[in-house]
């Protein structure tokens, strides 16, 4: 009962906010609706018992990725009228993408109804994983059976990160603006100020 | 609590619903009272360090000052700027306040005394605290005014930066405890230090990460040295500039609820939570309820927050970013490696090592 109410609440809000993402006129509103959709997706994950994935979804997508989206959308001066002008021109392309997605959905659901895919016999120890907590079970799988794929994914991300830094990094040419915090902290009154007592009518030589 | 309501003759669903609402009220209402008192404490400590008297007129010792302020704010008119984006402008303080309260669902006040005893409690707190930036960004953008917008930009960059190092620091604690459940993390600290001290912080590898955690907490809650979002000399009042009346008060309440949450987290993760400080029964302090220990520890950390506020000058923005990305991030990453290596070497993980 409680699960059913929760499921329909999360599902309805998620679909409604997903519709609002594409219909909202203001791009900032779109991103905010997208965040609501992410959040409700996390709620659905909790309902199926994947609380670890749900929390990661909120931390990574809502907490970091969507903030950057929001940043970009707020900073850019997006002209909605100009974007609408391209609508007719891109309409056939949109139809093609929609048809491909529809075909994939139909095929996917059809294949799912036929039965589970069978690529090999599951190892004998698989059933014991279910009893553990979510986090421990994911860890046990990632670091034993899928350790190679996991490490490869990590290396790809590392390469992407270094690539982004290399592409955007500009070494500053000017000498000004370079600050050495250690030097600033070490500064003391003795080297920063000089006491002079000039005679009346004479200036100070620095 | 669900069982109690079931014994009154309710069905499970109704009993669960009523018990949850009762639990939420039992946490939220005392929390609001605590926020009011903690604002008073904050001002008193600040005043004492500045050799002033602080609030001392309303009620005995000025104890009712926060309530007088609250009443004043409540009676004011809510002004919405004509150029503001109305819906988001009104939503922003509500989001800030709700998110600040939501994190309290997983805080254990005593053994098993918790609203939602979930397996991923610590991750839940990270997730909720990463949401709290939205209230500020929405407020800054919807105000349609340049100072709030600058402030929102600063706040989001700052909170994202420090969340990274807080995440790594929490991983270190989780490595020691072996669980994300806050109740179990506290229980794992029982007799941790040489069999007598109930705290993680006595361990030479954990003390430095606690110091980093404390500083990151200051940055995450935008307290002084890191309160660049409301640096009054540059940004008027930051993202709250255009707000008045209750919408302003909701920001204020949410901010202090977040600060209290961070104090409680310090106590739970590093100082043994609701356990008494020592695991030996010198005086009969096992009879003192755990919630008293937890609140005492949290109060001590709040005093430290106020102390820092009264003594440390504000950081410059580039220094803040440098501290987050070039000092805390590499340091906490190294500590994750060192601590997991240490735990593997000492056989902490038992059969897995």
């Amino acid at each position: 009962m409680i699960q059913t109410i929760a499921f329909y609440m999360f599902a309805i809000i998620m679909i409604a906010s997903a519709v609002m993402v594409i219909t909202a006129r203001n791009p900032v509103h779109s991103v905010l609706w997208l965040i609501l959709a992410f959040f409700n997706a996390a709620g659905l994950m909790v309902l199926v018992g994947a609380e670890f994935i749900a929390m990661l979804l909120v931390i990574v997508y809502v907490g970091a990725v969507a903030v950057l989206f929001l940043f970009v959308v707020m900073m850019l001066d997006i002209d909605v009228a100009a974007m609408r002008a391209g609508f007719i021109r891109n309409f056939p392309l949109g139809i093609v993408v929609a048809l491909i997605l529809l075909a994939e959905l139909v095929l996917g659901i059809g294949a799912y109804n036929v039965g589970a895919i069978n690529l090999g016999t599951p190892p004998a120890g698989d059933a014991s994983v279910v009893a553990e907590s979510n986090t421990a079970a994911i860890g046990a799988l990632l670091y034993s059976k899928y350790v190679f794929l996991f490490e490869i994914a990590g290396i790809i991300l590392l390469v992407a990160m270094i690539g982004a830094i290399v592409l955007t990094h500009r070494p500053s040419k000017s000498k000004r603006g370079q600050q050495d915090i250690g030097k600033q902290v070490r500064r003391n009154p003795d080297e920063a100020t000089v006491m002079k007592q000039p005679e009346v009518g004479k200036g100070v030589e620095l | 609590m669900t069982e109690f309501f079931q014994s009154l003759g309710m069905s499970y669903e109704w009993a669960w619903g009523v018990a949850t609402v009762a639990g939420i009220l039992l946490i939220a209402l005392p929390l609001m009272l605590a926020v009011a008192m903690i604002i008073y404490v904050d001002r008193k400590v600040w005043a004492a360090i500045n050799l002033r008297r602080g609030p001392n007129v309303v009620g005995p010792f000025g104890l009712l000052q926060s309530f007088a302020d609250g009443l004043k704010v409540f009676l004011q008119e809510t002004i919405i700027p004509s150029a503001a984006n109305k819906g988001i402008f009104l939503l922003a303080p509500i989001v800030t306040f709700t998110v600040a309260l939501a994190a309290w669902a997983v805080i254990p006040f005593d053994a098993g005394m918790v609203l939602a005893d979930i397996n991923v409690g610590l991750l839940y707190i990270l997730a909720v605290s990463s949401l709290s930036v939205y209230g500020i960004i929405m407020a800054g953008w919807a105000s349609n005014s340049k100072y709030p917008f600058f402030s929102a930009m600063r706040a989001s960059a700052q909170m994202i930066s420090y969340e990274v190092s807080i995440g790594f620091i929490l991983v270190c604690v989780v490595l020691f405890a072996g669980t994300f459940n806050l109740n179990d993390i506290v229980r794992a600290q029982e007799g941790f230090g040489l069999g007598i001290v109930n705290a993680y912080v006595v361990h030479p590898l954990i003390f430095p990460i606690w110091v980093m955690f404390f500083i990151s907490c200051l940055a995450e809650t935008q307290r002084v040295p890191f309160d660049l979002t409301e640096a009054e000399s540059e940004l008027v009042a930051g993202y709250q500039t255009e707000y008045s009346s209750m919408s302003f008060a909701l920001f204020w309440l949410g901010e202090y609820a977040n600060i209290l949450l961070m104090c409680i987290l310090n106590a739970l993760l590093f100082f043994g939570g609701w356990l008494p400080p020592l695991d030996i029964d010198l005086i009969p302090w096992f009879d003192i309820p755990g919630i008293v220990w937890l609140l005492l520890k949290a109060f001590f950390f709040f005093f430290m927050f106020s102390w820092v506020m009264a003594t440390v000058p504000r950081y410059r923005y580039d220094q803040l970013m440098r501290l987050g990305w070039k000092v805390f991030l590499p340091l906490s990453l190294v500590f994750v490696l060192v601590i997991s290596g240490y735990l593997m070497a000492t056989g902490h993980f038992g059969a897995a090592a």
Side-chain angles (χ1 to χ4, degrees), chain A residues 29 35 62 66 71 74 179, chain B residues 85 88 131 134 137 141 156 316:
Chain A
H29 290 186
I35 291 159
V62 179
F71 247 49
M74 280 178 180
Q179 306 208 12
Chain B
N85 195 315
I88 297 182
L131 281 180
Y134 282 111
I137 301 187
W141 182 78
S156 41
R316 219 170 47 213

Side-chain angles (χ1 to χ4, degrees), chain B residues 37-65:
Chain B
M37 294 325 289
I38 220 81
I39 291 175
Y40 166 77
V41 171
D42 203 17
R43 295 174 67 174
K44 271 291 191 194
V45 171
W46 196 5
I49 294 177
N50 288 354
L51 297 179
R52 293 183 287 116
R53 281 188 187 282
N56 64 347
V57 176
V58 191
F61 309 107
L63 272 170
L64 299 176
Q65 179 68 47

Side-chain angles (χ1 to χ4, degrees), chain B residues 41-52 214 218 223-227 256 301-314:
Chain B
V41 171
D42 203 17
R43 295 174 67 174
K44 271 291 191 194
V45 171
W46 196 5
I49 294 177
N50 288 354
L51 297 179
R52 293 183 287 116
F214 185 76
L218 290 174
R223 284 286 285 190
V224 176
F226 308 111
D227 64 337
Y256 271 89
F301 288 115
F302 187 78
F303 173 73
M304 283 180 67
F305 270 57
S306 305
W307 190 4
V308 169
M309 175 165 95
T311 43
V312 182
R314 182 178 295 138

Side-chain angles (χ1 to χ4, degrees), chain B residues 155-224:
Chain B
S156 41
Q158 176 178 343
M159 289 174 86
I160 293 174
S161 315
Y162 279 85
E163 239 150 52
V164 180
S165 61
I166 283 190
F168 280 123
I169 290 165
L170 295 187
V171 165
C172 295
V173 175
V174 169
L175 280 173
F176 268 92
T179 170
F180 280 112
N181 185 309
L182 284 169
N183 247 320
D184 293 343
I185 290 177
V186 172
R187 258 188 222 109
Q189 297 179 43
E190 195 160 4
F192 177 77
L194 305 170
I196 44 170
V197 186
N198 290 333
Y200 270 151
V201 77
V202 291
H203 195 284
L205 279 176
I206 295 190
F207 183 75
I209 66 168
W210 169 68
V211 174
M212 284 199 287
F213 183 71
F214 185 76
I215 298 173
S216 302
C217 281
L218 290 174
E220 181 77 10
T221 52
Q222 281 132 26
R223 284 286 285 190
V224 176

